[in-house]
């Protein structure tokens, strides 16, 4: 650099522009796809032009409607896109999960029918709603009291069976066992695939299970097993919708799953469904809602859960405390989760909790500490998680590596974070997972903000690799 010359000014890329660039999209292409999304959900008046999108990326504050649309399109929330939490819909209350509330009339519609799910015929209505050929993103998201009331209903409901007078062929044990085997296969596939493939497979199985529940003859034992199958299929479909960024659709499926778990008389299964709902709320909604749901899960299923199941609930609760800024509670609850998983007896565990192994609890603990601001304490947990999740849990391993990278960034070691980022990109490129892509994008963003020279290469690597996945 010559004498008197000023050093080049580093251009800071805002989170909205970063969300577009990490996907390899031009302004024109992004605007075209956002327009298509707006039309799909019945809101063509929300369409964004490339010029308007450029203005927003440059710092202009969007309207509430455009905030909502951009959060939907990029499968994230308004905070992650750089806007404050004071965005609410017209005459609406607190910011809804992922800012997915719309006008007040529609927002009331989203919440008003939730109580109906717990009426005698509510589960049949719920099954009808979620198994219809509807777009997942057309479901509105709910939060606050409306969301946590679901946990209250689950706690207070007495299972009563709804299929006493059904007509059709009698269900055989082999038929029910076949459903249960396919559910187990789908659980394992979800660890490797994720996204839309698992959603479609789970929904196809759920539709068949619901048809059997409606039309066949069966005894009480087979009825309970069929409802448990339906609950797990709805949970899996909900998780796949969550993975793809369809948060309102995921909520609806999980609510129906929770009701079905109650009909099955399996409180531990219901607690696991609440855990899924709470994880969504921890990352994309209000972590205080997550705390409420997880405490309900503990209260409603404590005597029915194994040590492994209790560890999973405690791990998710630690994360919720961390996201809520309650660092002492996060650290204490993370220790509880580690203690519980060390007491586990895998032979006693039900099939749905197979995934909860010590490295997964380490991931929960590390994320909890990182979220509460103690990145240095999080590193040993996240390191153990990244090491232990190699092989059978590729999506969780991407999460562990990217969170470990973030912890290193905050500890001042951007070089280690870049190395982890490249490894995570290679792993994420093998998956059809929106969550894995968002985890990588989050790490890239953290490193870019440090100005570390290797950040650009990592972002380019992610853009090329993950764009190829999205177009496959």
């Amino acid at each position: 650099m010559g004498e008197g010359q000023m050093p080049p000014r580093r251009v800071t890329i805002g989170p909205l522009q970063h969300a577009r660039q990490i996907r390899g999209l031009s302004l024109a292409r992004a605007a075209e796809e956002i327009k298509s999304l707006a039309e799909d959900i019945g809101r063509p008046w929300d369409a964004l032009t490339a010029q308007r999108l450029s203005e927003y990326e440059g710092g202009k504050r969007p309207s509430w409607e455009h905030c909502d649309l951009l959060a939907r399109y990029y499968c994230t929330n308004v905070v992650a896109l750089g806007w404050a939490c004071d965005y609410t819909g017209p005459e609406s209350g607190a910011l809804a999960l992922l800012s997915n509330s719309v006008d007040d009339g529609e927002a009331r519609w989203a919440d008003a029918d939730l109580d109906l799910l717990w009426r005698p015929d509510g589960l049949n209505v719920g099954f009808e709603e979620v198994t219809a050929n509807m777009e997942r993103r057309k479901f509105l998201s709910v939060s606050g009291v409306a969301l946590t009331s679901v946990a209250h209903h689950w706690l207070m409901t007495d299972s009563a069976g709804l299929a006493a007078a059904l007509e059709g062929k009698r269900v055989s044990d082999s038929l029910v066992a076949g459903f249960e085997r396919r559910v187990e296969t789908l659980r394992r596939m979800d660890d490797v695939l994720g996204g839309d493939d698992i959603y479609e497979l789970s929904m196809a199985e759920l539709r068949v299970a619901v048809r059997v529940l409606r039309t066949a003859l069966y005894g009480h034992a087979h009825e309970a097993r069929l409802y448990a199958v339906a609950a797990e299929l709805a949970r899996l479909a909900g998780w796949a919708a969550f993975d793809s960024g369809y948060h309102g659709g995921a909520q609806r499926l999980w609510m129906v799953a929770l009701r079905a778990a109650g009909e099955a008389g399996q409180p531990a299964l219901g607690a696991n469904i609440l855990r899924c709902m709470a994880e969504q709320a921890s990352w994309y909604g209000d972590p205080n809602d997550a705390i409420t749901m997880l405490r309900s899960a503990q209260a409603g299923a404590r005597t029915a859960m194994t040590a492994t199941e209790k560890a999973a609930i405690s791990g998710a609760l630690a994360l919720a405390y961390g996201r809520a800024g309650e660092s002492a509670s996060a650290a204490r609850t993370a220790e509880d989760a580690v203690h519980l998983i060390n007491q586990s007896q895998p032979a006693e565990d039900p099939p749905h909790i197979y995934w909860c192994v010590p490295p997964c609890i380490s991931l929960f603990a590390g994320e909890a500490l990182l979220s509460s601001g103690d990145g240095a304490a999080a590193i040993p947990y996240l390191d153990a998680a990244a090491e232990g999740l190699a092989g059978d849990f590729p999506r969780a391993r991407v999460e562990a590596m990217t969170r470990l990278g973030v912890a290193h960034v905050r500890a001042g070691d951007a070089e280690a974070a870049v190395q982890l980022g490249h490894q995570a990109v290679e792993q994420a490129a093998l998956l059809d997972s929106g969550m894995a892509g968002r985890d990588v994008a989050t790490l890239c963003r953290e490193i870019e903000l440090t100005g570390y020279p290797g950040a650009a290469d990592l972002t380019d690597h992610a853009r090329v690799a993950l764009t190829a996945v999205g177009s496959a």
Side-chain angles (χ1 to χ4, degrees), residues 17 160 168 191 329 426:
Q17 183 179 358
D191 292 324
S329 295
E426 294 295 331

Side-chain angles (χ1 to χ4, degrees), residues 12 105 123 132 179 189 204 215 245 252 257 283 288 326 364 369 426:
T12 300
L123 183 53
F179 272 120
M189 290 174 65
T215 62
R252 287 285 169 164
W283 287 108
N288 291 297
E326 298 185 30
F364 271 130
L369 294 169
E426 294 295 331

